[in-house]
Amino acid sequence: MKFSESNAYRVRAAHCSHQSDLNEDIRLKKYWDDLADDWLALADVVVEEDYYRKVIH
């Protein structure tokens, strides 16, 4: 499984979330939150693709 790839994406999401917490500017907070959401979505896709590949084979 691609857990290491998925975990790397989740670590990046955590970093972005932390950056959001550090910012007081509303636009910058939204930027970092949106980026964190994108990294989490990528992590979910990697796990989902790997799951379906294993089920089919």
Side-chain angles (χ1 to χ4, degrees):
M1 264 191 164
K2 295 182 179 179
F3 283 125
S4 61
E5 185 178 355
S6 175
N7 287 339
Y9 290 160
R10 291 183 190 286
V11 167
R12 289 176 186 259
H15 170 75
C16 292
S17 181
H18 180 69
Q19 290 300 315
S20 174
D21 292 342
L22 294 175
N23 278 291
E24 294 180 9
D25 185 317
I26 293 172
R27 282 183 258 159
L28 284 175
K29 282 180 107 29
K30 180 167 178 14
Y31 167 79
W32 285 110
D33 283 336
D34 290 346
L35 199 55
D37 290 341
D38 291 344
W39 282 116
L40 288 175
L42 281 172
D44 291 342
V45 166
V46 167
V47 170
E48 184 177 319
E49 284 178 353
D50 196 49
Y51 172 75
Y52 285 117
R53 221 177 284 129
K54 296 230 184 262
V55 170
I56 292 170
H57 295 340

